[in-house]
């Protein structure tokens, strides 16, 4: 594992432990039946009853198990051993049937066998990936013919605006839209879920343009069925965002894309 992945793993292990106790993730609510998926995912993925679903980069598995509650046979994978341990404990405690595999996404073909009807991933994953061609190859490899890939993710446009500065008052282009092989390095002591870590962690992140994402999936042999863009987000990324009645975060005026969703089929 290279130093970037090691930095990120050390950060994600501490974040996973703290997130499982955080208000943001509300694990107690999940145990009582709260569904962690959103309306876009339900409408766009459709009925999952009886389908096998592989969730890539699943954190500690609440989204994975929410799909299981809707009838899917689920497998979640994540490189954080802490996240996977918490996910397995939660599965045992709630009685929700789910398999969890600890693996770096690029090593998954060595650590998991089988093919799936649906490969799913969401909410805060692409910035941790140095190489989208390798990522798309893993997706294609684990899909059955006739199966599909679905992603709901922060829009690449959002990366340009992202700032944790409390002084930020309105959208400003602060970061490049385009990919660079060298990551952006951030010093983090606060996670997006509002938890403070003991250690200051170095996080290494990569930008990817919408073109890079789509072309990686096309190169892996997948057929794009739709790409949707929305002016709302699943967390408060900038201090000037406001929350709507459904819990999404918006930039007043709704003029910029903040989420994209994409479905691609394996023929
Ligand atoms: C923002 S979380 C996913 C969010 C998920 N939708 C949620 O809120 O529960 C990103 C996840 O990616 C995992 N991750 C980061 N880099 C990875 C890699 N190279 N291979 C596998 N998992 C990775 C992290 O451990 C973390 O659990």
């Amino acid at each position: 594992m290279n130093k970037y992945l090691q930095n990120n793993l050390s950060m994600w292990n501490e974040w996973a432990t703290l997130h499982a106790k955080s208000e943001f993730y509300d694990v107690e609510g999940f145990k009582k039946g709260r569904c962690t998926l959103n309306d876009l995912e339900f409408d766009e993925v459709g009925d999952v009853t009886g389908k096998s679903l592989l969730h890539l980069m699943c954190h500690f598995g609440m989204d994975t198990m929410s799909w299981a509650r809707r009838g899917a046979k689920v497998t979640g994978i994540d490189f954080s051993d802490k996240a996977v341990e918490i996910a397995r404990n939660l599965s045992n405690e709630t009685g929700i049937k789910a398999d969890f595999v600890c693996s770096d996404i690029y090593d998954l073909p060595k650590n998991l066998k089988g093919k799936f009807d649906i490969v799913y991933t969401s909410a805060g994953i692409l910035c941790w990936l140095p190489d989208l061609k390798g990522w798309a190859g893993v997706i294609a490899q684990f899909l059955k013919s006739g199966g599909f890939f679905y992603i709901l993710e922060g829009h690449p446009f959002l990366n340009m605006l992202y700032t944790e500065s409390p002084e930020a008052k309105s959208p400003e282009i602060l970061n490049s839209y385009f990919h660079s092989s060298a990551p952006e390095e951030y010093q983090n002591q606060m996670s997006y879920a509002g938890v403070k870590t003991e250690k200051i962690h170095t996080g290494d992140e990569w930008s990817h343009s919408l073109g890079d994402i789509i072309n990686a999936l096309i190169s892996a042999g997948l057929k794009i069925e739709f790409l949707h863009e929305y002016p709302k987000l699943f967390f408060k990324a900038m201090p000037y965002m406001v929350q709507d009645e459904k819990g999404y975060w918006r930039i007043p005026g709704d003029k910029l894309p903040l989420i994209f969703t994409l479905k691609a089929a394996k023929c």
Side-chain angles (χ1 to χ4, degrees):
M1 190 178 275
N2 67 39
K3 81 166 176 165
Y4 304 134
L5 288 183
Q6 262 165 14
N7 285 343
N8 289 345
L9 177 59
S10 152
M11 184 173 77
W12 276 108
N13 268 338
E14 194 178 356
W15 279 6
T17 309
L18 296 172
H19 284 178
K21 298 179 209 146
S22 70
E23 203 179 312
F24 182 94
Y25 274 96
D26 180 23
V27 171
E28 287 312 309
F30 173 78
K31 287 184 196 166
K32 291 182 194 138
R34 181 177 71 84
C35 178
T36 61
L37 303 167
N38 62 43
D39 54 342
L40 297 176
E41 292 168 305
F42 291 144
D43 292 348
E44 296 182 345
V45 171
D47 186 10
V48 296
T49 312
K51 302 250 170 77
S52 54
L53 182 149
L54 174 63
H55 181 181
L56 300 176
M57 303 168 76
C58 67
H59 206 25
F60 54 92
M62 294 204 297
D63 290 349
T64 326
M65 290 183 270
S66 290
W67 286 118
R69 278 178 170 152
R70 294 181 77 90
K73 292 175 267 174
V74 300
T75 303
I77 82 98
D78 202 283
F79 79 159
S80 158
D81 44 301
K82 290 281 178 227
V84 167
E85 185 188 322
I86 296 165
R88 287 179 180 148
N89 289 341
L90 207 48
S91 161
N92 288 335
E93 203 182 324
T94 54
I96 301 171
K97 204 168 169 308
D99 290 327
F100 290 100
V101 176
C102 185
S103 174
D104 178 78
I105 190 161
Y106 298 108
D107 291 338
L108 197 57
K110 288 190 247 155
N111 297 325
L112 179 68
K113 298 275 164 278
K115 302 254 184 209
F116 295 80
D117 298 310
I118 302 169
V119 174
Y120 158 85
T121 196
S122 78
I125 53 109
L126 293 175
C127 64
W128 310 109
L129 301 175
D131 160 32
L132 288 193
K133 283 212 168 127
W135 167 77
V138 169
I139 293 165
Q141 170 161 354
F142 282 100
L143 270 177
K144 288 181 186 167
S145 294
F148 68 86
F149 168 63
Y150 178 84
I151 178 170
L152 177 148
E153 176 59 309
H155 198 287
F157 200 95
L158 169 71
N159 300 340
M160 296 197 294
L161 312 177
Y162 186 79
T163 176
E164 285 169 4
S165 162
E167 271 90 58
K169 298 273 182 285
S170 59
E172 201 184 331
I173 294 175
L174 300 167
N175 312 303
S176 171
Y177 178 71
F178 294 105
H179 178 76
S180 151
S181 54
E184 291 288 337
E185 292 226 308
Y186 298 95
Q187 300 303 311
N188 297 314
Q189 198 170 16
M190 197 62 106
S191 90
Y192 58 90
V195 298
K196 191 168 177 194
T197 51
E198 241 171 65
K199 222 180 122 185
I200 298 177
H201 290 279
T202 302
D204 288 300
E205 301 187 26
W206 290 266
S207 295
H208 302 284
S209 70
L210 206 50
D212 291 344
I213 298 162
I214 292 172
N215 290 329
L217 294 167
I218 293 172
S219 300
L222 301 183
K223 181 172 168 280
I224 310 295
E225 292 197 340
F226 63 69
L227 168 72
H228 297 151
E229 297 166 288
Y230 298 94
K232 55 189 185 179
L233 191 60
F234 38 83
F235 77 112
K236 188 176 187 180
M238 281 84 67
Y240 48 80
M241 295 178 87
V242 291
Q243 201 164 26
D244 70 15
E245 69 292 346
K246 283 193 170 169
Y248 289 106
W249 291 90
R250 294 174 177 265
I251 298 174
D254 282 348
K255 291 188 178 142
L256 300 171
L258 300 176
I259 285 179
F260 79 94
T261 61
L262 178 152
K263 185 178 177 191
K266 174 145 176 197
C267 301

